[in-house]
Amino acid sequence: MLTNIGNVLRAGAQRTGAAALVSARAYSDFTTQATFEIKKCDVYKLDEAPATQVVMTRDEGLQYYRTMQTMRRMELKADQLYKQKIIRGFCHLYDGQEACAVGIEAAINLTDHLITAYRAHGYTYTRGGTVKEIMAELTGRRGGIAKGKGGSMHMYCKHFYGGNGIVGAQVPLGAGVALACKYLGKNELCVALYGDGAANQGQIFETYNMAALWKLPAIFICENNRYGMGTSVERAAASTDYYKRGEFIPGLRWLRCKKFGCPVTRWTGWMFFVFGKQRSLQLSTAGLARQGPILMELQTYRYHGHSMSDPGVSYRTRDEIQEVRGKSDPISMLKDRMLSNNMASVEELKEIDVEVRKEIEDATLFATTDPEPPLEDLCNHIFHNSPPTEVRGVHPWSKLKSVS
């Protein structure tokens, strides 16, 4: 089984070992792995669906729990800082969708590539960015992962290409990365993510065509959180079967559910299945993508509005949000599954919660005290590996000087 959720999870494995010491029971008292029955997913132009049994080990479950809790707490802190006007500009939060990021990372390798839209904080973390770097980027500080110049929508790290603000534009960029993988003969692939709102963009269909024609090693993933910018999927799309939209590209979809607040078994099955804990899934997705593209639809839900300027309750009710929180929250269900299968103790998970909160608070302190980038650096870092070139004999940035 693969546990490739970046350096984050490897570090988490060490921390969870320490956390186990505070448990009331010895490590040997816990179940080391458990098998879960899940609902069969929908497939398109595939001969068979992945198996309906998944296996998760105790160590993997603890790592997934820590990672999702870190992402959740990080987003809630970003919400707080934005309302305090410490974070400014665009800000799109990912709370509620954490299982998507963790599941994707579990099924691919760290050497594979990933690109997404502006709801990017979680993926920056799973790709190897630190909470401190992410929070400092949100507050526009020098220690941010993009040196304080990118903000919420533009974060990058190794094999992660953002964080992109133009709706749907990251998909053709992801195809370009996949083309580079194939051209250079690397055994790598690129995951390109987009939302249900972006799924109607013409450039995405153009990308499908090129990727299928050239058999690019790409996985196109539609994170269907059921609402675009204030509009439900049913009002925006003639067909909401996003996993079939590739037409000539095979597709898979998890959790086909017409109502909000789906049965816990479906959500739990979806969550574990997306985690990629079934080996045939890892082979049928990553392996198939290396011989041509594949399209996936992950049905999920965001708790916040589309962005911080969207209250998120003008086009859906508060009761709907609370119902999904109560019945379908991926963190709560992972916790319940681990406890009910004797894979962890309450004390152990509480210790993880305490450690995560401290990490977030320490990162927030750094993000609010670290200096802002100096004005003279405003126009630097435009190019990857060379200084700014002379444009008509003018260097406007050379005249900028910080006064603070």
Side-chain angles (χ1 to χ4, degrees):
M1 285 169 253
L2 301 179
T3 55
N4 297 317
I5 310 186
N7 298 328
V8 172
L9 294 189
R10 280 197 288 274
Q14 298 174 353
R15 291 194 296 266
T16 52
L21 296 177
V22 304
S23 175
R25 290 175 286 165
Y27 177 87
S28 58
D29 294 334
F30 293 111
T31 302
T32 57
Q33 69 177 38
T35 301
F36 299 93
E37 291 287 339
I38 63 170
K39 184 178 182 291
K40 186 176 180 180
C41 70
D42 295 323
V43 296
Y44 175 70
K45 292 200 171 182
L46 286 172
D47 294 334
E48 58 181 351
T52 55
Q53 279 193 339
V54 292
V55 177
M56 185 183 72
T57 68
R58 165 183 150 83
D59 288 342
E60 289 166 347
L62 291 173
Q63 291 173 20
Y64 297 150
Y65 181 81
R66 179 184 293 274
T67 301
M68 289 198 292
Q69 276 288 33
T70 302
M71 294 166 65
R72 175 70 57 85
R73 292 288 174 181
M74 185 169 61
E75 297 294 65
L76 294 179
K77 179 58 69 172
D79 172 67
Q80 177 184 335
L81 294 177
Y82 198 96
K83 290 173 179 175
Q84 294 173 351
K85 297 187 177 181
I86 296 174
I87 295 174
R88 296 285 73 193
F90 293 104
C91 187
H92 303 79
L93 302 181
Y94 198 70
D95 51 321
Q97 300 183 211
E98 296 89 353
C100 295
V102 173
I104 290 166
E105 292 287 4
I108 64 175
N109 301 320
L110 284 174
T111 53
D112 290 321
H113 308 266
L114 190 144
I115 187 169
T116 188
Y118 35 72
R119 209 176 300 279
H121 310 159
Y123 287 103
T124 307
Y125 181 66
T126 61
R127 286 273 91 187
T130 66
V131 176
K132 182 182 292 187
E133 291 173 326
I134 295 168
M135 296 304 297
E137 188 60 40
L138 286 169
T139 58
R141 305 306 172 109
R142 188 181 300 179
I145 200 163
K147 302 185 184 298
K149 299 179 181 182
S152 172
M153 290 200 295
H154 305 290
M155 299 184 182
Y156 311 90
C157 55
K158 190 173 183 180
H159 297 150
F160 176 61
Y161 307 87
N164 294 270
I166 301 176
V167 177
Q170 72 277 6
V171 179
L173 291 177
V177 175
L179 175 61
C181 293
K182 183 172 184 177
Y183 183 80
L184 296 173
K186 295 182 177 181
N187 186 29
E188 299 169 359
L189 58 82
C190 182
V191 175
L193 295 118
Y194 56 97
D196 51 274
N200 299 318
Q201 288 283 323
Q203 59 192 321
I204 291 181
F205 294 92
E206 295 176 36
T207 303
Y208 290 162
N209 179 66
M210 296 175 69
L213 188 64
W214 297 343
K215 298 190 184 305
L216 299 182
I219 301 179
F220 301 116
I221 299 182
C222 176
E223 290 183 289
N224 179 5
N225 60 27
R226 303 179 180 182
Y227 293 97
M229 190 163 54
T231 307
S232 65
V233 294
E234 291 80 7
R235 296 182 62 191
S239 171
T240 57
D241 290 334
Y242 296 106
Y243 73 112
K244 294 181 179 180
R245 286 192 172 195
E247 188 176 351
F248 31 73
I249 297 176
L252 303 93
R253 173 173 65 183
W254 285 273
L255 188 62
R256 184 174 187 176
C257 189
K258 295 182 179 179
K259 295 182 179 180
F260 300 112
C262 302
V264 172
T265 52
R266 286 189 179 182
W267 269 100
T268 308
W270 165 80
M271 180 178 64
F272 282 112
F273 195 76
V274 169
F275 276 165
K277 300 325 301 164
Q278 219 308 322
R279 293 194 180 200
S280 66
L281 170 63
Q282 294 162 351
L283 295 175
S284 66
T285 57
L288 181 58
R290 285 182 169 86
Q291 304 191 19
I294 189 168
L295 175 59
M296 297 187 194
E297 177 187 345
L298 307 183
Q299 292 193 359
T300 181
Y301 197 87
R302 55 171 168 79
Y303 294 151
H304 273 84
H306 174 77
S307 68
M308 293 303 297
S309 61
D310 168 25
V313 292
S314 60
Y315 49 87
R316 59 181 182 177
T317 65
R318 295 184 187 276
D319 289 342
E320 176 189 300
I321 300 171
Q322 290 305 314
E323 185 178 8
V324 176
R325 278 183 180 274
K327 296 181 179 180
S328 310
D329 184 79
I331 299 176
S332 297
M333 286 191 299
L334 175 59
K335 177 180 179 180
D336 293 343
R337 281 283 178 157
M338 293 191 70
L339 293 176
S340 62
N341 283 275
N342 192 36
M343 300 180 78
S345 67
V346 173
E347 297 84 1
E348 190 173 16
L349 297 179
K350 283 184 178 179
E351 180 66 20
I352 292 176
D353 294 344
V354 171
E355 292 176 356
V356 167
R357 288 193 187 98
K358 184 179 186 306
E359 183 180 13
I360 301 299
E361 291 304 321
D362 290 346
T364 302
L365 178 62
F366 175 77
T368 52
T369 57
D370 189 50
E372 295 181 355
L375 187 59
E376 52 265 31
D377 278 355
L378 179 63
C379 297
N380 292 341
H381 310 112
I382 296 174
F383 302 96
H384 166 60
N385 57 2
S386 61
T389 57
E390 190 168 321
V391 180
R392 295 181 182 177
V394 177
H395 283 294
W397 45 85
S398 66
K399 301 175 184 178
L400 303 174
K401 296 295 180 184
S402 292
V403 294
S404 60

